[in-house]
Amino acid sequence: MEGSHTVQNDYESLDVHVGQCFAVLVTADQEPKDYFVVASTRFTKREVTATGVIRYTNGKGAPSPKLPPPPVGWAWSLNQFRTFRWNLTASAARPNPQGSYKYGSVNITRTIKLANTAQKVDGKLRYAINGASYVEPTTPLKLAEYYGVADKVFKYDTIPDDPPAEITKVTMEPVVLNLTHRNFMEIIFENRETAIQSYHLCGYAFFAVAVETGQWSPEKRKNYNLLDAVSRHTIQVFPKSWAAILLSFDNCGMWNIRSEVWDRRYLGQQLYVSVVSPNKSLRDEYNMPEGTLVCGVVESMPRPPPAYT
């Protein structure tokens, strides 16, 4: 943030654009005067704080000379996560991304725990999930499935649903989980490292039901928010902590679960989930487009007939 910004406004709300970074909307019943806007670093060893000044045209007085201290550590963010709730009293229908308003009463059909680790393989740093560091095959995963040659490109379910307490070896391979269409699943992200993690799931929204410190166990389910958890696509996992999500895999396709820390994703901290319609219905998934470019092991193969009708 740089400099000060004068706004034409009363003192109930204001919309301020600071530089080219973001817009801030503040609603407060405060006296008209100058106010500081403060941005501070989080989750870094070195604390950096930047300030800007909001000046009201009818303001009287300078901003307070004493700034509040920035949040220290990540406990503040953990507690903030627990305050995020759906408003069940709103008159309109809640968003329904996963087929059930009462997600907390749906039976869990499979639990998968995903634990991240960092190790060196042949002297080079690799990041892994459940002991497997993802590498891209020469043939796209979904293309291999369409042509019926997935077994020549990758193997399904090469990592365990429940990883060992200590992961001492990392393999490098394409990682694809074979999931049953419309199964309601529980995924536990377990962060065994000292750096904060962030995971994204493509193609789906999920219910983030818990984020806690320590190690996950089935007894931890008693702490889940099974009523009004927020539906989202990305979840943070704090150091030496875990996060639990619930969702129904009702969207057919090949979907990526990945670290949102880009160097970790590039060096293997990602995997794919394959969800195939058992009914081979166009209601669930489209056929491969006519103009699809092909490569790898399928490049010289005849085009397969449409799989879905």
Side-chain angles (χ1 to χ4, degrees):
M1 299 182 185
E2 296 182 357
S4 62
H5 302 265
T6 301
V7 294
Q8 300 286 339
N9 211 305
D10 58 25
Y11 42 88
E12 291 185 355
S13 64
L14 56 115
D15 190 9
V16 184
H17 294 266
V18 183
Q20 296 181 348
C21 297
F22 53 83
V24 179
L25 178 63
V26 179
T27 301
D29 294 322
Q30 302 288 341
E31 60 177 326
K33 55 178 288 187
D34 294 350
Y35 289 93
F36 277 120
V37 178
V38 183
S40 59
T41 54
R42 301 299 310 281
F43 316 118
T44 59
K45 293 181 180 180
R46 187 168 65 97
E47 180 184 307
V48 179
T49 299
T51 61
V53 178
I54 299 175
R55 302 188 189 279
Y56 289 93
T57 54
N58 60 339
K60 299 178 181 178
S64 172
K66 186 177 181 180
L67 297 176
V72 177
W74 46 265
W76 185 89
S77 294
L78 175 59
N79 292 327
Q80 183 188 51
F81 164 81
R82 293 167 176 161
T83 68
F84 295 154
R85 308 273 178 160
W86 280 120
N87 180 6
L88 302 183
T89 64
S91 59
R94 290 172 61 205
N96 184 24
Q98 299 300 338
S100 174
Y101 289 112
K102 299 181 179 179
Y103 66 91
S105 62
V106 182
N107 291 329
I108 296 171
T109 56
R110 183 177 176 183
T111 297
I112 298 177
K113 184 192 295 184
L114 302 177
N116 55 277
T117 55
Q119 294 186 25
K120 286 192 175 181
V121 178
D122 296 331
K124 296 181 179 180
L125 178 63
R126 297 293 300 189
Y127 296 104
I129 298 177
N130 291 12
S133 184
Y134 185 87
V135 292
E136 294 284 356
T138 56
T139 305
L141 303 175
K142 193 59 182 177
L143 204 60
E145 282 193 335
Y146 274 135
Y147 275 79
V149 293
D151 59 326
K152 296 181 179 180
V153 179
F154 62 89
K155 297 184 184 299
Y156 293 104
D157 296 328
T158 57
I159 61 173
D161 286 0
D162 187 8
E166 291 189 17
I167 298 175
T168 58
K169 183 181 179 181
V170 169
T171 62
M172 295 176 58
E173 59 183 317
V175 183
V176 181
L177 301 181
N178 189 16
L179 305 186
T180 302
H181 185 219
R182 293 180 179 162
N183 268 10
F184 193 77
M185 295 185 53
E186 174 186 50
I187 298 179
I188 312 299
F189 296 101
E190 188 174 88
N191 183 5
R192 301 180 178 181
E193 299 180 67
T194 57
I196 190 171
Q197 305 290 323
S198 178
Y199 284 95
H200 178 80
L201 171 58
C202 292
Y204 289 91
F206 52 75
F207 294 103
V209 295
V211 174
E212 292 191 3
T213 58
Q215 293 184 332
W216 180 88
S217 65
E219 292 74 24
K220 299 292 186 179
R221 293 185 179 122
K222 65 184 179 185
N223 299 334
Y224 285 7
N225 176 6
L226 299 179
L227 178 65
D228 55 1
V230 174
S231 176
R232 55 198 293 180
H233 311 274
T234 303
I235 185 73
Q236 73 272 32
V237 194
F238 297 103
K240 303 296 183 179
S241 303
W242 57 270
I245 67 174
L246 299 176
L247 73 155
S248 174
F249 278 90
D250 54 7
N251 188 15
C252 292
M254 184 74 71
W255 303 107
N256 188 221
I257 299 177
R258 64 175 180 265
S259 170
E260 286 291 80
V261 182
W262 287 101
D263 58 335
R264 286 180 168 268
R265 180 194 179 190
Y266 179 76
L267 294 176
Q269 194 172 318
Q270 62 170 315
L271 55 82
Y272 283 82
V273 295
S274 173
V275 184
V276 178
S277 168
N279 300 320
K280 300 295 182 180
S281 172
L282 288 173
R283 179 190 61 184
D284 301 324
E285 186 173 5
Y286 292 128
N287 288 304
M288 184 173 65
E290 288 294 330
T292 299
L293 298 177
V294 297
C295 59
V297 300
V298 305
E299 186 172 10
S300 59
M301 294 178 61
R303 185 182 180 88
Y308 301 97
T309 58

